């Protein structure tokens, strides 16, 4: 606060009033003289205020009026505030310009969206990859411009942990990876990357595995056939019986690996959602139980518990293969005196199919990797049981295509539970029986 300004104004006013009073007393009109002095003082302040207002309206800081006393002080304060604001504004603008220049030069596309998914800004790469025209596209909803159904589903789904791969609408065999990153108050950043090269390599890998396994199938069938004949041939040198049996076992293992690879390739060849054929899960469970009991070695108890008779809507062959894999694993990794329970139940979250065993169990560090191809906790043991290491990879793929999830709960030495969780849209109540059945077969 500049007291000097206020002080000089007060002193000047007091002196003027004193002079006015003296002159008024001399001429016999003291009140009129005082009123005149006050009116002149007020008019002067009024003039200063007018000049200040004019200056502020003109918005030209450099033409600041020179005013006396507190008015001058006020002008100086306004100028200082204005300069400080200008300084910060310039700094922010510089920063923004640099940010825009760096994002514009990024090899990846960036699209900034508001919470309603309307486009606020995009860089040149995004415009090129997504075919945006320019500023006329600002304000449009992104799904009006990027219409691929996978992206629209991804945007509405709200699960942005992983990107979605879409085919470019540009016509060429181009694939784009789109990932949404939420930030700030509901704003969304969309990152766009050209992944055509990776997609081609992935397609080549899939083709190679599919072709190689198909090509291997015929020669393997011939080898297995001859081995079968040789092992049953009575004239064969007894010293060769052992090696021949081992060869036959290995040929069977190779056949099962090749079959699993072919099945995986078939599952991978299409991203389409699985069909909605009604599957009688209760009947399927009974069949799986029979299959396990038909194995030369199996756990003593294989129980079925069906708490619901709801039908599962899916692709029957795939579901059979996935469930059979889980039941076979339980049987393979559970000793003869152990037990296996197969269960099907429905709750508000959907349908659940689980296989629980009292077998060898799995240490927790292995659980997240079990569904990787060829991943085995104990390769030696798995090989000995004829495992290909592909079973759970097949289960994962089948479930993915049915919008379902696999959860694994296991304790080493105590047993495991593998559960498939199906969404409610994949269920249909059975026609004839309304109430749930609880069947338990020893
Ligand atoms: P594999 O054909 O070798 O059984 P999977 O993909 O079906 O291959 O399973 C991967 C690995 O997970 C197996 O090698 C085994 O170590 C482990 N595993 C799967 N199911 C069970 C189970 N019920 N109990 C213990 N270990 C299991």
């Amino acid at each position: 606060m500049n007291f000097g300004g206020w002080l000089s104004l007060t002193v000047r006013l007091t002196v003027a009033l004193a002079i006015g009073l003296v002159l008024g007393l001399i001429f016999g009109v003291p009140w009129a003289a005082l009123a005149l002095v006050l009116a002149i003082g007020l008019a002067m302040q009024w003039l200063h205020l007018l000049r200040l207002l004019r200056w502020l309206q003109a918005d030209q800081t450099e033409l600041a009026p020179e005013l006396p006393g507190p008015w001058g002080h006020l002008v100086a304060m306004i100028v200082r505030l204005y300069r400080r604001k200008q300084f910060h504004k310039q700094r922010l603008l510089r920063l923004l310009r640099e940010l825009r220049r760096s994002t514009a030069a990024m090899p990846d596309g960036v699209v900034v969206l508001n919470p309603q998914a309307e486009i606020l800004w995009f860089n040149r790469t995004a415009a090129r990859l997504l075919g945006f025209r320019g500023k006329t596209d600002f304000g449009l909803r992104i799904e009006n411009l990027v219409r691929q159904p996978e992206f629209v589903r991804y945007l509405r789904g709200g699960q942005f942990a992983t990107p979605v791969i879409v085919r470019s609408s540009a016509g060429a065999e181009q694939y784009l990876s789109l990932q949404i990153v939420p930030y700030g108050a509901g704003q969304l950043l969309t990152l766009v990357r050209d992944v055509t090269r990776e997609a081609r390599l992935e397609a080549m890998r899939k083709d190679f595995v599919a072709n190689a396994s198909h090509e291997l199938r015929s020669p393997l069938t011939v080898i297995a056939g001859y081995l079968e004949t040789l092992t049953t041939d009575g004239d064969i040198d007894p010293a060769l019986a052992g090696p021949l049996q081992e060869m036959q076992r290995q040929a069977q293992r190779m056949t099962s690996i090749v079959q699993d690879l072919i099945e995986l390739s078939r599952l991978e060849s299409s991203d389409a959602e699985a069909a909605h054929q009604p599957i009688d899960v209760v009947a399927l469970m009974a069949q799986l139980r029979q299959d396990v009991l038909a194995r030369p070695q199996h756990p003593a108890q294989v129980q079925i518990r069906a708490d619901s008779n709801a039908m599962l809507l899916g692709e029957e062959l795939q579901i059979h293969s996935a469930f059979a894999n889980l039941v076979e694993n339980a049987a393979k990794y559970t000793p003869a005196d152990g037990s296996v329970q197969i269960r099907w139940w429905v709750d508000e979250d959907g349908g659940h199919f689980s296989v629980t065993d009292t077998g060898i169990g799995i240490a927790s560090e292995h659980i997240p990797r079990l569904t990787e191809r060829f991943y085995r906790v104990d390769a030696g043991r798995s090989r000995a049981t004829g495992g290909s290491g592909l079973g759970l990879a097949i289960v994962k793929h089948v479930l993915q295509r049915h919008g379902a999830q696999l959860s694994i709960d296991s304790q080493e030495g105590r047993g495991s539970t593998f559960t498939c969780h199906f969404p409610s849209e994949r269920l249909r109540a059975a026609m004839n029986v309304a109430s749930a059945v609880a069947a338990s077969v020893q």
Side-chain angles (χ1 to χ4, degrees):
M1 174 73 82
N2 185 346
F3 287 108
W6 283 105
L7 215 62
S8 75
L9 180 70
T10 319
V11 169
R12 260 186 284 158
L13 198 64
T14 318
V15 170
L17 282 172
I19 295 172
L21 188 64
V22 171
L23 286 176
L25 284 172
I26 293 171
F27 292 105
V29 280
W31 292 115
L34 274 180
L36 186 70
V37 170
L38 278 174
I40 291 171
L42 195 65
M44 276 170 71
Q45 302 312 314
W46 178 257
L47 264 175
H48 295 332
L49 181 65
L50 206 69
R51 283 183 67 193
L52 183 74
L53 283 176
R54 275 228 195 99
W55 169 62
L56 287 176
Q57 268 168 357
D59 200 17
Q60 284 178 313
T61 346
E62 59 283 6
L63 298 181
E66 280 189 29
L67 298 175
W71 295 103
H73 186 60
L74 193 63
V75 170
M77 262 164 61
I78 292 174
V79 169
R80 211 175 319 133
L81 272 177
Y82 177 80
R83 292 221 173 107
R84 203 178 303 155
K85 195 188 84 182
Q86 278 301 92
F87 173 75
H88 286 301
K89 194 166 138 191
Q90 288 300 333
R91 219 174 57 168
L92 272 176
L93 273 177
R94 243 196 335 267
L95 224 115
L96 199 71
R97 237 175 274 137
E98 264 168 37
L99 206 74
R100 280 202 172 191
R101 231 177 284 149
S102 57
T103 36
M106 256 167 66
D108 289 353
V110 180
V111 186
V112 181
L113 306 173
N114 67 10
Q116 286 72 43
E118 289 162 352
I119 299 173
L120 297 179
W121 181 82
F122 50 78
N123 69 355
R124 250 173 283 141
T125 318
R128 181 171 52 78
L129 292 174
L130 297 171
F132 292 170
R133 279 157 304 162
K135 292 204 167 130
T136 47
D137 286 336
F138 285 178
L140 295 181
R141 287 175 65 88
I142 190 163
E143 69 247 57
N144 291 340
L145 299 176
V146 185
R147 289 164 178 265
Q148 285 87 335
E150 304 93 316
F151 176 71
V152 176
R153 234 179 289 132
Y154 173 73
L155 186 69
R156 293 190 186 148
Q159 298 292 323
F160 304 135
T162 49
V164 60
I165 311 287
V166 300
R167 220 173 154 147
S168 163
S169 51
E173 272 288 300
Q174 191 184 34
Y175 289 86
L176 303 175
S177 149
L178 293 155
Q179 176 152 29
I180 291 183
V181 185
Y183 74 99
Q187 311 267 103
L188 303 169
L189 200 70
T190 312
L191 302 176
V192 193
R193 228 158 50 82
D194 184 348
V195 288
T196 311
R197 215 179 96 82
E198 289 91 325
R200 281 209 192 115
L201 281 174
E202 180 66 8
M204 264 167 62
R205 181 192 67 76
K206 284 183 190 165
D207 282 353
F208 173 76
V209 175
N211 291 338
S213 28
H214 271 288
E215 292 300 324
L216 281 171
R217 189 158 58 169
S218 314
L220 259 174
T221 316
V222 176
I223 292 172
Y226 276 122
L227 283 170
E228 172 101 51
T229 322
L230 283 173
T231 43
T232 49
D233 187 348
D235 298 338
I236 208 91
D237 182 351
L240 288 178
L244 274 175
Q245 257 173 14
E246 180 57 20
M247 281 160 79
Q248 199 184 12
R249 237 168 42 82
Q250 295 301 336
Q252 269 166 3
R253 226 172 71 75
M254 273 168 80
T255 312
S256 90
I257 292 178
V258 166
Q259 270 168 358
D260 281 354
L261 277 175
I262 291 174
E263 190 167 345
L264 254 182
S265 307
R266 207 178 301 129
L267 284 169
E268 277 186 331
S269 64
S270 135
D271 291 332
E273 221 200 324
H276 284 65
Q277 302 161 352
I279 303 165
D280 185 347
V281 182
V282 182
L284 179 58
M285 285 159 84
Q287 193 190 330
L288 292 173
R289 177 173 182 270
Q290 296 251 298
D291 294 347
V292 174
L293 295 177
R295 288 168 69 100
Q297 281 172 348
H298 60 78
Q301 283 194 347
V302 181
Q303 297 178 326
I304 294 177
R305 182 169 161 198
D307 293 332
S308 163
N309 60 352
M311 299 281 220
L312 176 62
L313 301 177
E315 243 160 83
E316 186 149 17
L317 280 177
Q318 289 182 15
I319 291 292
H320 186 144
S321 149
F323 289 2
N325 259 310
L326 295 180
V327 176
E328 271 167 31
N329 275 352
K332 267 194 312 196
Y333 300 107
T334 304
D337 58 352
S339 70
V340 171
Q341 189 187 54
I342 310 167
R343 212 183 140 201
W344 170 240
W345 76 101
V346 170
D347 60 21
E348 66 274 14
D349 297 329
H352 313 272
F353 174 88
S354 75
V355 182
T356 304
D357 65 56
T358 57
I360 58 171
I362 306 154
S364 56
E365 71 264 26
H366 297 292
I367 292 179
R369 301 195 56 194
L370 284 188
T371 53
E372 287 175 19
R373 286 146 212 253
F374 296 111
Y375 189 84
R376 296 154 174 137
V377 175
D378 177 344
R381 194 195 310 247
S382 169
R383 237 172 256 134
T385 54
S388 65
L390 293 167
L392 290 179
I394 293 177
V395 173
K396 190 179 100 177
H397 264 86
V398 169
L399 294 188
Q400 253 171 14
R401 297 195 59 194
H402 287 79
Q405 309 238 325
L406 178 70
S407 69
I408 306 170
D409 199 8
S410 187
Q411 266 191 332
E412 213 176 357
R414 308 195 78 172
S416 323
T417 298
F418 288 74
T419 314
C420 310
H421 306 276
F422 293 89
S424 309
E425 305 87 76
R426 286 266 172 200
L427 300 177
R428 186 205 282 169
M431 298 288 186
N432 46 356
V433 197
S435 63
V437 283
S440 185
V441 185
Q442 288 285 320

